[in-house]
Amino acid sequence: MKRPALLVPIMALLASTTPVAAAPTPGLVADPLASPMWDNHAAWLLGKAPVRFDPAVIVTMPDVTENQHVFPVTVDARALGKVQRIVVLMDLNPLPVAIDYQPQGALPYVSLRIKLDQRTPVRALVLTADGVWHVGGRWIDAAGGGCSAPPVSRVKGDWAQHLGEMRGKLWHEAADTRLRVSVRHPMDTGYVDNIAAYNIETMQVRGADGAALGTMTINGSVSEDPAFTLLLPPTQAGPVSIHMADSNGRTFDGRLAP
Amino acid sequence: MTLSRRAALGLLAAAPVALPARMARAETFAGRYAYDPQPIGPGIWLVRGADEAIVFGNGGAIANAVVMACPQGGAVLFDCGPSLRYAQGLAAVAEKLCHGPVRRVFLSHLHPDHALGTAAFDPAIVAALPATRTELERDGNGFADAMYRILADWMRGTAVALPGATVVPGPIEIAGRRLQAMALKGHSDGDLVLVDEASGTILAGDLVFYDRAPATPDANLAAWRESLATLAALPHHQLVPGHGPLDPSGTAAIAQTRDWLDWLEQALNQAVAQGLDMTEAGSLPIPDRFATVKLARYELQRSVAHFYAGIEAQRLPRIDAGSGNGNG
């Protein structure tokens, strides 16, 4: 029996709406999250470097996205030993990379808060010294608008009065020195009417001897008033200096007492 | 190939093929709210919400509503659910129970699981505290957007309808049903509590949760505790919480809500003092005494989102040169 001609467009429609794991591009590993953007991001971020989806990269996030402007993420890659870079990627965000962190003297661990513009995979990409990228993460559901709504301090109008105010502390724990630092900054994405992109771009963390402990590149998809937790080796008793620079060339410095 | 969703569905309906389950499921929505009014005193019924988060499966019907019969005929409602469809069904239930029309709808506070059903009524019979009206003007449309996103067709036809009447604290009589109205706050800026004289029942709204963890998106914990003390001191027999079952003792639910808020505040302050991040604070152990409390982890994580940055801004020391600490 001949199939009705009508079936042809229907089959095309079904094919276009049924999620099918994309055929792996040569050199790339199939994405366990079946993200529509993974191959693209992997190509520009990781090039031809080997990739391993690795449970040793522990990405902790809440079960509920209560606020898509301020969504907390903790990346713990200590199981991998020494690492060179930690990249936090939200596949479907307009600003897909939140941070690119080099824990030169710090432990491979970072907490931050990010903006989500829709349901998206949130992942950590961790580069070890052997040139392998270890990837962990999961899908997070979120309402829209995390990158395209003005920050609270823009609405209140007081962002300039508090710009660069830095808070923080060191805690001396058994296995590490815990560093927490926050800074007041609107972190404008550039996606809000009449508000140009304006964000913290870099952070450098140095120990008492001036040696670099961590260097971070930061994008506008990090939440307003960024706050980070880093873990330093327990031998780092402090003081620790923090230096940040934003996209207008302003710099902000802080010092964490021992 | 671009097809509008409607055109695509037309094509599919005409197609002589078995559709994949995923496509078929997309159009099987025929959601119906179920109402099980429980009599809890003379002429007063509790219509329970599901002790769950707002998800598509429950249509957003997670808050309790109360129906009261007027001696001279007709019904009074305390809260009216998340959607037009829910409130229309609730009104039909109330009119049958009370042999007359809905005369008055009281809104306990602004939150959409209690308030968006007002779209089903003449605004003139919907009454709320002035603070609730102000908060609905500020947040109502945002709530509606979020509810449509989660609940889709359950919300069809629902729009934010501001209350047309203002509740003045004190005695209120509606066709012979005598109530005491109290203007409190803490869960939100305007928390209306009614005491039904005939049954001695406190209708506490979301100032009280029972075996369901309290939600804190607009909370002021100090004001909330004061309001709980006010409620505990009232002469009453029983209490209807905003979420969770009837408290026949009248005191257990207030005590449990107070216990949760005290624990929550202390736990979050301690987490900040220990340098924990929001993800770690959301993973804190929940004490065994809250084992019966549903959604405890979910509401803890929401509360972390509501309060954590504020606590950090108060408790972590300034470390920048501009702070005058001589460190810069």
Side-chain angles (χ1 to χ4, degrees), chain A residues 6-7 10 17 60 62-63 66 72 74 109 111 113 141-143 165-168 171 178 180 229 253-255, chain B residues 11 15 17 22 149 272-280 301-302 305-306 309 312-313 316-321 327:
Chain A
L6 189 57
L7 261 181
I10 292 164
T17 54
T60 309
D63 303 321
E66 178 66 7
T74 295
Y109 180 104
S111 288
R113 300 169 188 168
D141 192 22
E165 286 180 8
M166 220 183 271
R167 293 179 183 274
W171 288 263
R178 173 177 284 253
R180 183 117 182 102
T229 295
D253 289 280
R255 178 180 177 275
Chain B
L11 277 177
V17 287
R22 180 170 161 275
R149 176 177 176 272
V272 169
Q274 290 173 343
L276 301 191
D277 191 81
M278 287 170 73
T279 53
E280 295 169 303
Q301 292 188 350
R302 292 184 73 202
H306 304 146
E312 284 192 326
L316 290 184
R318 284 279 291 277
I319 59 166
D320 53 282
N327 285 335

Side-chain angles (χ1 to χ4, degrees), chain A residues 53-59 76-80 126 134-136:
Chain A
F53 294 95
D54 190 342
V57 178
I58 302 166
V59 183
D76 183 353
R78 284 176 291 178
L80 294 174
V126 180
H134 304 257
V135 178

